[in-house]
Amino acid sequence: MDFSELEGIEGLRWSWHSWPVSKPEVASLVVPLSIMCTPLTPFSELPILPYEPLNCSQCAAVLNPYSRVDYVSKIWVCSFCYRKNPFPRSYAHINENNIPAELFPTYSTVEYHLGTGPASGLASGLVRSPSGLSGLRSNSSSFSSVSAYSGSGSGLDWAGVGAAVGPAFVFVVDGCSSPEELEALKRELLHTITRLPENALVGLVVFDAMVRVYDLGFTECLKVVVFHGERDLSPEQVKELLGLCQMKQSLGKASAVQKQGFLFPVSECEFNIMTAIEDIHSSPLVKPGHRPLRSTGVAISVAVGLLEGCLINTGSRVMVFTSGPATIGPGMIVNSDLSYSIRTHRDLHNGYASYYKTSSEFYKQISHRLSDSSIILDLFACSLDQVGAAELKFPVESSGGFMMLGESFESEQFRKCLRHMFDRDDDGNLKMFFDASIEVVTTRDVKVCGALGPCVSLQKKNDSVSDKVIGEGGTHVWKLGTLTSKTCIAFFFEIGHEQKAQPSSAFFIQFITKYRCSNMGLRKRVTTAARRWVGKHSPEIASGFDQEAAASVMARLAIHKAERTLAEDVIRWLDKTLIQFASKFGDYAQEDPSSFRLSTNFSLYPQFMYYLRRSQFMDVFNSTPDETAFFRLMLNREGVVNSLIMVQPTLFQYSFDGPPVPVVLDVCSISPDVILLFDSFFYVVIHYGSKIAQWRKLGYDKDPSHESFKKLLEAPELDAEQLVAERVPVPKLVKCDQHSSQARFLLAKLNPSVTQNSTHTEGSEIIFTDDVSLQVFIEHLQALAVQERALSREEEGFNS
Amino acid sequence: MATPGGPRPGNAPPNHNPNALANNMQNLQINQPNQQQSSNVGGTAPRPPNTSPFGQQPPPFTGSRPGPPPPGVFARGPSPPSTPAQTTLPPNMVPARPTGPPPGSRPPPFASRPPPSGALPSSMTGTAAPPHSGAGPRPGPFSSSPLTSGPSAPPQMSSHGPVSNGPPAFAPGMTQSGPRFPPAMGGMPRPSAGPPQSTPMLSSGPSSQPLQVRPSFGSPPAGALSSIGQPAPPFSAPSQAPPFSAASQAPPFSASPQNMPPPPGSLPFSPPVPGVLQSSGSPYGMQTWPPQQQQQQVAPPPPIPGAMQKQQMFGMPPGQPPLPNQSMSLGQTGQSKIDPNQIPRLSTSSSVILHETRHDNQANPPPPATSDYIVKDTGNCSPRYIRCTINQIPCTVDLLSTSAMQLALLVQPLALPHPSEEPIQVVDFGESGPVRCSRCKSYINPFMKFIDQGRRFICNFCGFTDETPRDYHCNLGPDGRRRDADERPELCRGTVEFIASKEYMVRDPMPAVFFFLIDVSMNAIQTGATAAACSAISQVISDLPEGPRTMVGIATFDSTIHFYNLKRALQQPLMLIVPDVQDVYTPLESDVIVQLAECRQHLEILLESIPTMFQNNRIADSAFGAAVKAAFLAMKNTGGKLLVFQSVLPSTGIGSLSAREAEGRSNISAGEKEAHKLLLPVDKTLKTMAIEFAEYQVCVDLFITTQTYVDIASLSVVPKTTGGQVYYYYPFSALSDAAKLYNDLRWNVMRPQGFEAVMRVRCSQGIQVQEYSGNFCKRIPTDVDLPAIDCDKTIMVSLKHDDKLQEGTECAFQCALLYTTVYGQRRIRVSTLSLPCTNMLSNLFRSADLDTQFACILKQAANEIPSGPLAQVRDQATNACINILYSYRKFCATVSSSGQLILPEALKLLPLYTLALLKSNGLRTDGRIDDRSFWMNYVSPLPTPLVIPLVYPRMIAIHELDEKELELDDSVIPTSIPLSSEHISDDGVYLLENGQDCLIYVGTSVQQNVLQQLFGISSVEEISNQFILEQYDNPLSKKLNAIVNEIRRQRCSYLRLKLCKKGDSSGMMFFSYMVEDKTPSGLSYVEYLIHIHRQIQSKMT
């Protein structure tokens, strides 16, 4: 079975499908045991079960098709810990012919629509006010249940309002944007407000040198609370200054309903927030020679404090719209004086970025607060300059937030991104999920090391948690502020020390994803997967290798390392592992590079690694720290397919010769009489060969006699539009002719098989670079792979 | 408007709206021929049109007087004409002078005046026993002139009234207008000149000054005059100049005694200027005490320095002390011998004194501060700007200490001039700035002596000889003066204003910024204080100076601070809340302070909605300190005025306070001992803040509208340090205090004022400034920094000797105030006062200035209060009084009888005032802490003229107004009654005012119709606590309103009106002002005199 088909069923990609039973053997695999898990993979057939899952009383695993069931005694045996659990009364009618969906062998994934209070151990750890959840009654559309929830007096101040409480959105708007930008932004915001569900809560924060929080409940005039942009405020201070802290004191008093006006249901404050948004105006007075004073850090801190103060723990977003770098206060990234430039990679490398460390530290604190309160931080940056995305990446990523780097709020890109975010599903609910967590349950011999992706470790240890930590580790439960159907987390595993498993016996891994829909309904999706242990040198190991998944995993590991160490060291590490990998799985005669072969299962892997080395994730030479942060953030959350596009872009050739065909990502694919469609995830380039371009300029496409040329021109455009439409954030679409300046977007990614140094210059296309081409790389790899292990030399190998 | 005489030489400073100034003066019934017919804004009665030609009418007020108490503005009943006298006038005047164009040419002023010769022709009062010794050239008729004897006048008037232009008709007019001396030519002149003389003058006059003569006199000249007896005033009146200028021409004048006694009954303190006779003014008949005469001679002529003048003593005792004084025989054993009518009492008169600051190259002692006078600046500055405690400077420190008096100046650099006074001239020296001594940096003034053909000049302060700047050079005339001395104001005037050149500016002159900060905490809202403040501000906006330089801002506060964005583009105001009251800041770049023109409408809407916006505010906390700080931060770039309306004790944020008064009460044992500590600021927080404010030129005025203790002692530090002031409304009543709040605020923003000021006083060698005291911030010892200064602020400058002075020389004082006008001009106002030095103790006593001396004693006492037990402060005050009197008794009085208490004439009221001081709010033990704090604070910048009424308020009988109308029509305000309960009858209604409060006391058996007329009620029981004066349509009520309005005008204060009735606390309060009474804790006046007498006697032995 094809790996990707399997993914369509399980939502999982395994780097290795068959796991060796011994630890040393696992280590020799080079590529770690890992699973790329897309928890909310849209399945064509997903059973939704309107009841609570049945948990094993010992390991909390959910009843699944792999459990053994004794229909007579109404007992099921946990497939993970082998504990016998009795079925509850609701399962009384269970028998061989009447089994619940979760036991259907084909339903490796089921979703539970939680009806009664999910006051399980899992939930109680995640949700601060579990008592409030007990109000949930209904199990269908949980709309009414939510109203019961809010009415249960959990301390939410609009409890008396009676309306169901939806997710909360706090818009954090940069008041330093230019008037035109601000107008465009305001237009979009107003549009967004109209599209919000009525029960959604909204808040508005505007910042420049000061941070202004709008009081939307005040009708006499516009009212804002002003925070100083240079003061680092603790969460408690923010709450106190917003007047939100008294709630705790007033809880005792029966009638004390603290009235705050900063977060209000759209239905009640639509006019006010519209007025407030209209009221935002560009802050005047920028000192000549200075950047505008932006207190982005405090603004975010205040917005988070506001949500904390209002005890919104059930899902909320802080959406930051900015058009420049923070220049004052905590989180500042550059002095407002223009004579200081914004940090570059070189500055970071040399330690000249004086604000980088403190700002990153500040935002790390923010990210803890975000995850504690299930708040998502989104960054919409539309600026020609850097805005500090590198510093902001941590909270954005860990909360699962959205990041967009654009050039203008007037751009289509921004509009699409924002609108996409507020898309609704068929039921009219926002396609947005909140307050999610993923729990991993494993067979006893499998230990979980950690996860890489937009998630945060909840530091919950149990027997299945390994001491070895990779990424967010030390836990079997992770928290995600939000997730989408594409969000993909890489989980890493290892084998337990005391391995008792028999080869060819099965092991199980269960992913329990709990999340909240935008209508606040709670769901739990349970995916259970089984694989087999294999013995030493089993061929199943090689045949179970998913090189695409492995490349994605390695890419995540690489960028994870790159966050902490220098890119060169990471590249060295990549080379080392690749050589090890090649030595291990290559088929060769010792010391004879020409004899080196790799089976098809492995053959693409070196190529992926080659392009990964050259990619913007590793080679930051041409990127700003902001861009790099953005790229890495995207790589760290997309699934296998998209990750590979990012690492090794796709290239299609359109010609008169036939339908579009994929061609090698090589400079030699460029030809005057073809159109190339290049997709690197972030960029989509349509590259017209010089002849095609010439014909187009001559207007042949408008000539009815050249219908086919017209079609040829249209085809890649249609395909490109399709690519662009499906993807968020919207990639930048570049149309260019051969030899034009814009063609650099393509050339930079192509394998430089022909360079200025090449001997055979046949007049086609060359790339001016000193980078080694893929062929050279492979040659070196072969040479090194067949050698005896001499790592020090191997490392040198590729740095020529 | 203030320039009755037509065009004046100096250009009126643009910043000082002459109208404004003029209108601020109290008694403006001055003849102002050219006065513009300004619209009658102030609520003063529109003057009959026919009177205007006269120029005699004292319109000044009628104009849009920006002054404080424009009664009309007050919503309550229509206020009566401000100058009721006018109403009576017109009839008389109608026929008179059809056209009164002032003469174009004016004779030169006083320069040529002959020196005074004779002694005072003393009392004129018919009743007064001793005739004046001074053989004035005055004709007999004079003494018996209708004017002198009040009672007789009216009949005459009435009889003459019909005769339109007959001189008699004039007399009544005189009585009114005479006193106020119009400098103007057309104006009514000084009554001083003897009638006979004036006649000739008149006859000759017409030819030379035809225009000056009033038509009324013109026709029936001499005869008519003589028949009147004292028609003279009219004649001299034609111009202020005549008396003086005429002096040379008119022989009679020269002959006139220098010390012309004022007409009897005229002000107790007759002006020193001989020629200047006060006319008629007050009804002398009213005076209750016999020996008024003495009072009239207070001022010996300045004449020959050092020369002691023997003056006749008019006191009861036959002794002839060398100095005018008053002695009483006081039995050592008891007061039985004392005739209560003998004891010195304050007398008042509304007549106007004309005062030349120098005469004959001699300094003229100023008229009493409380009197109504018009100054002609002839070299020394007006006493309004600088008054010295002693008008001759003791040569040595020993002499000064022997006298036990103190040497100090009271400086009020922006004091309101009388509307009839010449405005201060503005001199522009261009880029180079004013000429100054290169060593001591004193400014050029009339006493700098030019030598060497004008090429050099000698500084009168340090004696250094400077080169005259080339372009300032001018040759000297035969008299040794520069030939251009009379054309250059800085060489002939005691006060001039220089346009400051660049070197006086550290930055561009600041705009006029007014920032209003309003308490909206629960208490303020519920008591209506917020609404009152908003309404007051809203009304005042239109009174702010126009122009692009006027900026306003507004903020409210409770436990947080709310700023408002007033930018025009916004559709509705934007409220910006600053929640952090511990570490406060201001919303940056948020258009919190905007040009008035841009936000007028927004501001009005906002002010209207603030009370409703916070209607349901339940926040009781008030973050005063933080709010003030935040507002300050908003104003930091420009500086400006911060007007704070505060209603409760600041309880949160920086500078929060605790109700330590209550703590003090609960801990009585400690409280008693440390009581005065409650009068000290609780800590340094606010002081530190205030110093920072001052540094950035922010002046804070505090309007406290409260029902409770707010710790004024701590709060007041801010206004005091920043040159502001405290207004105190306790207990605040939204009903009756709103109008006062509005009027106070209005006056606050409209009165003449300056910003970012620095003041320094320089003294001639031998004297130096010891200390400044008042409301300001001092960063370096020599200068005082005044973020704002206005016409009501006085600074006390105590002086000390550092060397001996030479007898026969003069000692000069110069106050230089560098400030920015509300219109953004940088100016230096320089006032110079040059006083003779003396070695004679008796001269010191003769030239002592009672009002100034007492003001110093008062201010010092106020300063002492917080630093020690009250008893000690009281003793110090009494001792100061005793020591002075003892010194006089010992060294100057010759009376041998030990049974007599001999008081120097000039200081005869010192014991009374001192007694009143001991019984004042500040030194009483029974007062509330806040009341005392406020009193101390109020006193600190208090101008001299307001000091006396503060401790010794003016009391008048209202119920008799009707009856006396005919007799008293020359003056709006009836004669005051001594503050003794024996003068209060149960069927009377009395009004008592001290410049701040105005109590109306209603006796228990007042006639019902009086009650009905005055208050619209039928019995005393109906009197409510919250009193609003309304005007009913009857003469009595109109009269009362007229009086109240006149007092408001005089005091530049709206006064808090309270109705008191016998038997309740309000009545108790009223009687607590009866300072001459014996009280449980204080002596009666007589007892006090005896006490002092005994003390002196014990010292003598």
PDB file of all heavy atoms in Angstrom, chain A residues 742-753:
ATOM      1  N   GLN A 742      12.862  38.852 -12.697  1.00  0.00           N
ATOM      2  CA  GLN A 742      11.990  38.073 -11.820  1.00  0.00           C
ATOM      3  C   GLN A 742      12.309  36.574 -11.903  1.00  0.00           C
ATOM      4  O   GLN A 742      11.904  35.815 -11.023  1.00  0.00           O
ATOM      5  CB  GLN A 742      10.530  38.303 -12.218  1.00  0.00           C
ATOM      6  CG  GLN A 742      10.063  39.735 -12.005  1.00  0.00           C
ATOM      7  CD  GLN A 742       9.667  40.000 -10.555  1.00  0.00           C
ATOM      8  OE1 GLN A 742       8.712  39.448 -10.057  1.00  0.00           O
ATOM      9  NE2 GLN A 742      10.458  40.823  -9.874  1.00  0.00           N
ATOM     10  N   ALA A 743      12.986  36.189 -12.967  1.00  0.00           N
ATOM     11  CA  ALA A 743      13.307  34.775 -13.133  1.00  0.00           C
ATOM     12  C   ALA A 743      14.195  34.266 -12.012  1.00  0.00           C
ATOM     13  O   ALA A 743      14.373  33.061 -11.843  1.00  0.00           O
ATOM     14  CB  ALA A 743      13.978  34.547 -14.486  1.00  0.00           C
ATOM     15  N   ARG A 744      14.727  35.188 -11.223  1.00  0.00           N
ATOM     16  CA  ARG A 744      15.617  34.765 -10.137  1.00  0.00           C
ATOM     17  C   ARG A 744      14.900  33.868  -9.144  1.00  0.00           C
ATOM     18  O   ARG A 744      15.502  33.032  -8.485  1.00  0.00           O
ATOM     19  CB  ARG A 744      16.195  35.986  -9.429  1.00  0.00           C
ATOM     20  CG  ARG A 744      15.177  36.791  -8.638  1.00  0.00           C
ATOM     21  CD  ARG A 744      15.822  37.988  -7.959  1.00  0.00           C
ATOM     22  NE  ARG A 744      14.895  38.635  -7.045  1.00  0.00           N
ATOM     23  CZ  ARG A 744      14.018  39.555  -7.412  1.00  0.00           C
ATOM     24  NH1 ARG A 744      13.951  39.934  -8.681  1.00  0.00           N
ATOM     25  NH2 ARG A 744      13.227  40.095  -6.533  1.00  0.00           N
ATOM     26  N   PHE A 745      13.560  34.088  -8.999  1.00  0.00           N
ATOM     27  CA  PHE A 745      12.819  33.248  -8.061  1.00  0.00           C
ATOM     28  C   PHE A 745      12.924  31.772  -8.442  1.00  0.00           C
ATOM     29  O   PHE A 745      12.933  30.909  -7.586  1.00  0.00           O
ATOM     30  CB  PHE A 745      11.339  33.673  -8.031  1.00  0.00           C
ATOM     31  CG  PHE A 745      11.106  34.964  -7.289  1.00  0.00           C
ATOM     32  CD1 PHE A 745      10.891  36.149  -7.967  1.00  0.00           C
ATOM     33  CD2 PHE A 745      11.135  34.973  -5.909  1.00  0.00           C
ATOM     34  CE1 PHE A 745      10.694  37.322  -7.276  1.00  0.00           C
ATOM     35  CE2 PHE A 745      10.929  36.146  -5.213  1.00  0.00           C
ATOM     36  CZ  PHE A 745      10.707  37.329  -5.897  1.00  0.00           C
ATOM     37  N   LEU A 746      12.990  31.565  -9.739  1.00  0.00           N
ATOM     38  CA  LEU A 746      13.125  30.188 -10.207  1.00  0.00           C
ATOM     39  C   LEU A 746      14.577  29.715 -10.154  1.00  0.00           C
ATOM     40  O   LEU A 746      14.893  28.672  -9.590  1.00  0.00           O
ATOM     41  CB  LEU A 746      12.593  30.097 -11.641  1.00  0.00           C
ATOM     42  CG  LEU A 746      12.748  28.761 -12.348  1.00  0.00           C
ATOM     43  CD1 LEU A 746      11.958  27.690 -11.622  1.00  0.00           C
ATOM     44  CD2 LEU A 746      12.295  28.859 -13.789  1.00  0.00           C
ATOM     45  N   LEU A 747      15.426  30.540 -10.694  1.00  0.00           N
ATOM     46  CA  LEU A 747      16.836  30.142 -10.823  1.00  0.00           C
ATOM     47  C   LEU A 747      17.467  29.799  -9.481  1.00  0.00           C
ATOM     48  O   LEU A 747      18.279  28.886  -9.377  1.00  0.00           O
ATOM     49  CB  LEU A 747      17.634  31.254 -11.511  1.00  0.00           C
ATOM     50  CG  LEU A 747      17.258  31.511 -12.980  1.00  0.00           C
ATOM     51  CD1 LEU A 747      18.128  32.602 -13.566  1.00  0.00           C
ATOM     52  CD2 LEU A 747      17.383  30.235 -13.791  1.00  0.00           C
ATOM     53  N   ALA A 748      17.037  30.534  -8.464  1.00  0.00           N
ATOM     54  CA  ALA A 748      17.662  30.327  -7.159  1.00  0.00           C
ATOM     55  C   ALA A 748      17.407  28.923  -6.642  1.00  0.00           C
ATOM     56  O   ALA A 748      18.141  28.428  -5.787  1.00  0.00           O
ATOM     57  CB  ALA A 748      17.135  31.365  -6.169  1.00  0.00           C
ATOM     58  N   LYS A 749      16.347  28.305  -7.111  1.00  0.00           N
ATOM     59  CA  LYS A 749      15.993  27.015  -6.549  1.00  0.00           C
ATOM     60  C   LYS A 749      16.445  25.850  -7.421  1.00  0.00           C
ATOM     61  O   LYS A 749      16.375  24.703  -6.998  1.00  0.00           O
ATOM     62  CB  LYS A 749      14.456  26.933  -6.397  1.00  0.00           C
ATOM     63  CG  LYS A 749      13.914  27.912  -5.392  1.00  0.00           C
ATOM     64  CD  LYS A 749      14.389  27.542  -4.000  1.00  0.00           C
ATOM     65  CE  LYS A 749      13.906  28.562  -2.973  1.00  0.00           C
ATOM     66  NZ  LYS A 749      14.481  28.319  -1.660  1.00  0.00           N
ATOM     67  N   LEU A 750      16.847  26.152  -8.621  1.00  0.00           N
ATOM     68  CA  LEU A 750      17.210  25.075  -9.519  1.00  0.00           C
ATOM     69  C   LEU A 750      18.587  24.506  -9.173  1.00  0.00           C
ATOM     70  O   LEU A 750      19.447  25.208  -8.643  1.00  0.00           O
ATOM     71  CB  LEU A 750      17.213  25.573 -10.963  1.00  0.00           C
ATOM     72  CG  LEU A 750      15.857  26.047 -11.486  1.00  0.00           C
ATOM     73  CD1 LEU A 750      15.970  26.487 -12.926  1.00  0.00           C
ATOM     74  CD2 LEU A 750      14.821  24.958 -11.317  1.00  0.00           C
ATOM     75  N   ASN A 751      18.711  23.246  -9.508  1.00  0.00           N
ATOM     76  CA  ASN A 751      19.994  22.603  -9.318  1.00  0.00           C
ATOM     77  C   ASN A 751      20.989  23.214 -10.289  1.00  0.00           C
ATOM     78  O   ASN A 751      20.760  23.216 -11.494  1.00  0.00           O
ATOM     79  CB  ASN A 751      19.834  21.101  -9.572  1.00  0.00           C
ATOM     80  CG  ASN A 751      21.172  20.418  -9.609  1.00  0.00           C
ATOM     81  OD1 ASN A 751      22.098  20.822  -8.901  1.00  0.00           O
ATOM     82  ND2 ASN A 751      21.280  19.395 -10.445  1.00  0.00           N
ATOM     83  N   PRO A 752      22.070  23.758  -9.799  1.00  0.00           N
ATOM     84  CA  PRO A 752      23.005  24.427 -10.703  1.00  0.00           C
ATOM     85  C   PRO A 752      23.886  23.435 -11.450  1.00  0.00           C
ATOM     86  O   PRO A 752      25.102  23.402 -11.251  1.00  0.00           O
ATOM     87  CB  PRO A 752      23.805  25.321  -9.770  1.00  0.00           C
ATOM     88  CG  PRO A 752      23.773  24.614  -8.458  1.00  0.00           C
ATOM     89  CD  PRO A 752      22.482  23.862  -8.405  1.00  0.00           C
ATOM     90  N   SER A 753      23.265  22.657 -12.272  1.00  0.00           N
ATOM     91  CA  SER A 753      24.067  21.687 -13.013  1.00  0.00           C
ATOM     92  C   SER A 753      24.908  22.387 -14.063  1.00  0.00           C
ATOM     93  O   SER A 753      25.912  21.873 -14.509  1.00  0.00           O
ATOM     94  CB  SER A 753      23.158  20.642 -13.669  1.00  0.00           C
ATOM     95  OG  SER A 753      22.273  21.299 -14.561  1.00  0.00           O
TER      96      SER A 753
END
